[in-house]
Amino acid sequence: MTWQTRRFRLDLARPLVMGIVNVTPDSFSDGGRFAQADAARAHCDRLVAEGADILDIGGESTRPGARLPDTAEQLDRVRPVLRHAVTLGVPVSVDTADPVVMREALALGVDILNDVRALQAPGALEVAAADPAVGVCLMHMQGEPGTMQAAPRYPDDDVLGAVARFLAARRDAAEAAGIARERIALDPGIGFGKTPAHNVELARRQRELLALGCPLLLGWSRKSTLGVLTGRPVGERLAASVAAALAAVRQGAAIVRVHDVAETVDALKVWHGLVQ
Ligand code: 7PJ
């Protein structure tokens, strides 16, 4: 299987590691912004040196309870980082749901649109379809980031069914808009409007999502369900995150989205060497 992205047709014979580059500020001063862009560019270099197959760059925190930055603010954050990232020889994705940010990112040369809203914002499908080869990742989210973790529920407790139906519908909408199936990856959206039990159920039944006919991308890195399983705070979830990435691959994931690239790359090399 392959995933067509703008400059690269990605071979999915072995699992790929997508390294996370967050450009979300803790300072709003100008000095803060320049320092932040510098740090994010250096982080891109580091993740590529560590073996990242894809860089995922986002300026829109979708953590539960996060405030949504406006378009101009998001662009100010990600623009300098994207400009640098596209020079590094690996495919670059932009983690955004905003069609204006998508269009600008495409103009800067990004290869993949990674959208936690699965191209549902007005104009987003059209932006993706207008580019002949850009790859897209369509993710399932129930509710809105601000409130999605307040007692999420699924009819008949069928989280896998709900996720599969949503992803099938968004895949079909993308294809109908002119985005070829070979350009589409799908993601069940671990932690996006889901309890720990829902996330575990999705992991156990993940293989059923392969019937959707697209590569699966999974993001477990440092997420709160790993805190529930281990009792550890977010800063101590490295081993848990690596284990979750391996589990996702065993269950059919083609791409894992991670913060800790070096450790995940090593784990997958050993996995690949020992299990064939
Ligand atoms: C995901 C994402 C994910 C995809 C974030 C975090 C929250 N994009 N963006 N899948 N998560 N495709 O990293 O904790 O799971 S932001």
Side-chain angles (χ1 to χ4, degrees), residues 20 56 62-63 95 114 116 137 139 187 189-190 192 217-219 221 223 257 259:
I20 301 169
D56 185 41
T62 39
R63 282 181 197 289
D95 186 350
N114 173 29
V116 299
C137 178
M139 198 196 80
D187 183 340
I190 296 304
F192 286 85
L217 190 156
L218 267 289
S221 190
K223 285 188 179 167
R257 181 180 178 278
H259 298 89

Side-chain angles (χ1 to χ4, degrees), residues 68-139:
L68 278 183
D70 65 27
T71 299
E73 189 179 333
Q74 241 190 98
L75 276 172
D76 284 350
R77 290 182 194 171
V78 299
R79 200 187 277 112
V81 186
L82 291 174
R83 269 205 190 97
H84 177 68
V86 297
T87 68
L88 299 179
V90 300
V92 175
S93 75
V94 61
D95 186 350
T96 188
D98 184 326
V100 176
V101 175
M102 291 177 187
R103 202 167 40 221
E104 176 108 2
L106 289 172
L108 293 174
V110 306
D111 301 283
I112 297 163
L113 304 174
N114 173 29
D115 185 358
V116 299
R117 294 176 196 275
L119 302 177
Q120 291 180 105
L125 266 180
E126 291 75 5
V127 169
D131 205 283
V134 67
V136 300
C137 178
L138 308 177
M139 198 196 80

